[in-house]
Amino acid sequence: EIEEVLYRHPKVLEAAVVARPDALWGETPCAFVELKTGTKATSDELLQWKVRAALRALARELGPRGIRVNLIAPSLTATW
């Protein structure tokens, strides 16, 4: 669900979400995105964009606590 929301951003080419340790929840989502060629965005920009509002529609605990930009390895998003 989170990936679907991230794909709505006009600069996002690919998105993947993984769990990361969290002291309160045990685990929380962390999003990794690859930007489209020729575009720039920071993790703060992506979080402030409508992604934040759209993620509120999901259960609050499902929203990513962070987004890492341009760190997706091609093998992570390859079609099997």
Side-chain angles (χ1 to χ4, degrees):
E1 295 175 342
I2 296 170
E3 288 94 336
E4 291 175 19
V5 173
L6 290 168
Y7 277 118
R8 293 181 194 154
H9 192 286
K11 295 180 181 179
V12 172
L13 176 66
E14 296 183 88
V17 177
V18 298
R20 71 174 181 185
D22 183 85
L24 178 62
W25 295 98
E27 291 182 335
T28 58
C30 182
F32 290 80
V33 300
E34 184 74 27
L35 299 177
K36 293 178 181 176
T37 302
T39 64
K40 293 181 181 180
T42 65
S43 59
D44 285 341
E45 176 185 341
L46 294 172
L47 284 170
Q48 290 172 8
W49 177 75
K50 293 181 181 178
V51 169
R52 179 164 281 183
L55 288 172
R56 281 190 208 118
L58 300 171
R60 187 164 181 82
E61 63 272 9
L62 293 179
R65 300 293 192 259
I67 296 177
R68 308 295 189 251
V69 177
N70 288 339
L71 294 174
I72 297 179
S75 62
L76 291 177
T77 59
T79 303
W80 293 67

